[in-house]
Amino acid sequence: MNPQRPAPHGWLILDKPRGLGSTQAVSAVKRVLRQGGYAKTKVGHGGTLDPLAEGVLPIALGEATKLAGRMLESDKIYAFTIQLGEETDTLDTEGEVIERSDRRPPMAAIAAVLDHFTGEIEQVPPAYSAVKIDGKRAYDRARAGEEVPMKTRAVTIHSLGFVGERDDAELRSAFATTAGRPDPYDAQAPLELADSVTLVAHVSKGTYIRSLARDIARALGSVGHVTYLRRIKAGPFREEQAISLDKLEEIAKGAAIENLLLPLEAGLDDIPALQLDPDSAQAVRQGRVLSGLPHADGLHLATLDDVPVALMELCGGTAKVVRGFNLPDVAE
């Protein structure tokens, strides 16, 4: 009988296909680990993707699950298509049409209106969303036929533009197309009316792309809903790092997970490192405070021989443990 493989720690970045829920994706990872002979492993995801959405879904394994909450707080980048002329109750293709409009805006008008949806904006989440109202999910109330009063929330749209725009560093590698942004003030530009438009948005946590699509369509004097939604970046993770379900299945057939796994610290690429010696690493693992450090204030990743030991908050030369990691290679 083959010996059991040790539980892995780190990130699997899935390219989630349309039709698969985030919880189902977690279950799929648990299954392939089990079939691949790995010890029981804690698995979680770093930010829900609707079943109708596709793209980057970070899956945390082992000690990396302690960082999954940070993914929920991170920015995301989405590509999405707005179908103009029909609004559905779910604001996507799953719902029933509740309003129609024959008005189709010129492309130049779309370009002009996008600026009004950039920066900090107020947004009403969809009634069919996971927002809790009096302890119950909004989508459960909506499906039960209840009137769902959704409260306005503030979110930040860091950038919003047509696919192919290259003026935002976060978007430069996202798409290779060359479609430019129409100049809304060019009197010589042809009046091209749009039935649909595909955009890219770099947004803060809590932003609902379906709500953004609805509001853009209404600002254009029409109505609309999302027909395509792809997450191309979640926190530090990009679609270039994502693997397909077919690739994931190779683990179940005996492929080494190390070839697909990103290290725990890949989820902390914006956090400076704090190198520890064995004595200070032992102190940190015991939850003790480190003093007299010359490092700048803020969050640091404490490591011993490049192995993560803890996430620590530094203030005035003193470091306190925020989250400890129990990785097997850390010296006792």
Side-chain angles (χ1 to χ4, degrees), residues 171-291:
L171 304 180
R172 283 174 190 157
S173 65
F175 289 94
T177 56
T178 56
R181 178 172 180 158
D183 182 355
Y185 302 103
D186 183 2
Q188 304 303 315
L191 191 63
E192 179 187 353
L193 300 182
D195 285 318
S196 66
V197 61
T198 299
L199 304 171
V200 181
H202 176 192
V203 303
S204 70
K205 69 168 185 174
T207 302
Y208 279 92
I209 297 298
R210 287 177 290 149
S211 292
L212 181 62
R214 171 199 62 202
D215 297 343
I216 289 172
R218 289 180 180 179
L220 291 165
S222 186
V223 292
H225 66 280
V226 172
T227 57
Y228 168 80
L229 178 60
R230 179 173 178 80
R231 188 155 69 191
I232 55 181
K233 189 169 184 286
F237 300 119
R238 292 182 171 274
E239 63 180 345
E240 293 87 354
Q241 299 168 298
I243 62 172
S244 67
L245 288 184
D246 287 344
K247 198 74 175 174
L248 179 68
E249 287 295 334
E250 293 179 6
I251 298 172
K253 300 172 184 176
I257 195 172
E258 289 76 18
N259 297 331
L260 303 175
L261 193 69
L262 297 179
L264 176 149
E265 58 268 29
L268 299 169
D269 70 340
D270 57 339
I271 306 296
L274 171 63
Q275 299 292 338
L276 304 177
D277 57 36
D279 289 340
S280 58
Q282 181 67 12
V284 167
R285 295 191 72 198
Q286 294 171 352
R288 287 151 54 190
V289 171
L290 300 182
S291 302

Side-chain angles (χ1 to χ4, degrees), residues 141-195:
R141 291 182 176 274
R143 286 168 184 160
E146 296 181 33
E147 193 71 29
V148 185
M150 305 301 294
K151 293 182 179 179
T152 299
R153 61 167 65 182
V155 298
T156 301
I157 312 298
H158 299 292
S159 63
L160 177 64
F162 294 95
V163 168
E165 286 193 325
R166 312 296 288 238
D167 57 347
D168 185 330
E170 286 289 342
L171 304 180
R172 283 174 190 157
S173 65
F175 289 94
T177 56
T178 56
R181 178 172 180 158
D183 182 355
Y185 302 103
D186 183 2
Q188 304 303 315
L191 191 63
E192 179 187 353
L193 300 182
D195 285 318

Side-chain angles (χ1 to χ4, degrees), residues 15 61-62 80 86 121 215 239 246 297 321:
D15 191 340
L61 306 182
F80 61 104
E86 292 184 340
I121 66 170
D215 297 343
E239 63 180 345
D246 287 344
D297 290 355
V321 175

